[in-house]
Amino acid sequence: MTVEYKLYQEVTGELKARSRQQRLAAAALGLERLWPMFEEWTTTEGHMLLYRRPAEFQTPVRRMLDACWQQIDSETAIEPLQEQYSSLLRFISASFDEDDGPNVDFAAGKPLIDELFCGARCFFAEDSQACYAGACVTAYSGYLFEKLYDECCDNESSWQPPLSQTIEETIAAHPSWQQELAEIRCNLAVVNQFSGDVAPLYRRREEIWRMEDR
């Protein structure tokens, strides 16, 4: 079991004990962690197999994230937003030929796009399953784990780990991984205090937007 999956299990377990609104708040903060690099991706030329330019993705995706926050802010019913969500997924799916799908490089936009198809489902289920919310909360850590793993394999000399350490142990001790764990803990602490006042959640969202990729 990887440290990445252990983290997901731990977070999901915690979210099961939270209210629906708290789970959604945690998921929304997790999705926002992916937004800055997604937004940066929309300024690129994009992959040759994409029918649409990345810039065309920015508005519909941002609108969807704002709709998720709307559910938290006003406890909006699921149904009015379901078609908006389905429409966004159709938009993304129609952006490339199905046969070419595995070959399309979404680069830094991929983590958020993946979660829109997976974890974001928690916003459109009555019980807002903790497993989907947990996927949103830990999505960036999954991206970071893969990044650090590749760096470790490609350039072991820069890591200089003790011979007794496995790659995963080295990643678990890496400052970037430890910092991300701290950020997730901070998100969950804010969410655990949430009981209707969204102001602290929005302040935390602004802090997340100012974070740098590690």
Side-chain angles (χ1 to χ4, degrees), residues 29-178:
L29 291 175
L31 293 176
E32 294 293 356
R33 182 70 178 95
L34 305 174
W35 171 253
M37 62 182 186
F38 176 87
E39 186 178 32
E40 183 176 351
W41 171 72
T42 64
T43 66
T44 68
E45 289 298 316
H47 194 270
M48 61 182 179
L49 294 178
L50 271 176
Y51 296 157
R52 296 182 173 91
R53 295 304 91 197
E56 298 177 58
F57 287 72
Q58 185 173 130
T59 297
V61 169
R62 185 64 251 175
R63 187 183 296 125
M64 189 70 256
L65 293 181
D66 291 342
C68 291
W69 283 102
Q70 182 183 350
Q71 281 202 43
I72 300 165
D73 194 357
S74 60
E75 298 189 32
T76 304
I78 294 170
E79 289 76 10
L81 299 175
Q82 181 66 57
E83 177 52 36
Q84 181 178 333
Y85 177 60
S86 299
S87 177
L88 173 62
L89 298 187
R90 289 195 296 269
F91 170 86
I92 296 173
S93 297
S95 299
F96 52 87
D97 187 277
E98 184 176 350
D99 293 335
D100 290 331
N103 299 316
V104 176
D105 183 9
F106 284 97
K110 188 177 187 299
L112 181 52
I113 288 174
D114 284 348
E115 286 313 309
L116 290 173
F117 279 94
C118 180
R121 296 179 192 178
C122 66
F123 289 91
F124 305 97
E126 290 293 348
D127 62 356
S128 64
Q129 293 119 312
C131 61
Y132 289 131
C136 292
V137 172
T138 60
Y140 186 87
S141 66
Y143 160 80
L144 179 62
F145 178 86
E146 292 184 7
K147 178 181 177 182
L148 295 177
Y149 194 96
D150 289 343
E151 288 181 6
C152 186
C153 291
D154 292 343
N155 190 14
E156 292 186 27
S157 61
S158 67
W159 289 66
Q160 298 180 345
L163 292 177
S164 61
Q165 279 190 321
T166 66
I167 292 178
E168 285 211 13
E169 288 172 330
T170 304
I171 292 174
H174 194 278
S176 293
W177 181 260
Q178 289 296 314

